[in-house]
Amino acid sequence: MESIKLHYDVPGDDFTRAGAASGDVKRTLKQLGISPSVIRNVAVAMYEGEINMVIHAGGGEISVEIDEENITMTLSDHGPGIENVELAMKEGYSTAPDNIRCLGFGAGMGLPNIKKYTDEFRIETEVGVGTTLHLKVHIR
């Protein structure tokens, strides 16, 4: 299989469009005959990343590369950055404001779920500059 590259702009503060990129990648992976467990892992990780971009960063960009061995995702934003990555990785820790929590988001499971559902996970973040997640799910 030749490498497939996809790119998505994630709009900020628009919960109606959050999940569009992960949904599109999910459909693409189904068409390629990728196993359901791999598709689930990619979809969960991407959706959590999209929601984080909408809630915390005013949107961002996602690039996806699909090849014979991996689905590689890069999620980048120009938001506030993450002040304490170790704390942000703890299940239940959230900096989401109350109005977001009232919508059912901001439970503090985003980054932990992203790590849980990916085979490779790396965060680059700088306060005041933004955050980039480098994610990889192996195709088994």
Side-chain angles (χ1 to χ4, degrees), residues 14 16 21 29 41 44 46 57 60 65 68 81 88 98 108 110 112 126 131-132:
D14 186 352
T16 62
L29 295 175
N41 292 351
V44 169
M46 275 191 64
E65 184 171 357
E68 289 182 20
D98 287 341
E126 186 175 340
T131 300
T132 299

Side-chain angles (χ1 to χ4, degrees), residues 39-107:
I39 293 171
R40 181 197 69 231
N41 292 351
V42 169
V44 169
M46 275 191 64
Y47 180 77
E48 294 283 13
E50 282 179 84
I51 289 297
N52 279 352
M53 287 179 179
V54 172
I55 292 171
H56 300 289
E61 296 181 5
I62 301 174
S63 296
V64 179
E65 184 171 357
I66 305 162
D67 62 34
E68 289 182 20
E69 297 180 5
N70 301 296
I71 296 113
T72 304
M73 299 154 277
T74 305
L75 294 79
S76 299
D77 68 55
H78 298 288
I82 301 170
E83 287 187 34
N84 185 330
V85 173
E86 186 178 334
L87 188 56
M89 292 302 299
K90 290 186 185 299
E91 289 185 11
Y93 175 79
S94 178
T95 59
D98 287 341
N99 66 315
I100 299 300
R101 291 176 194 230
C102 288
L103 296 172
F105 300 101

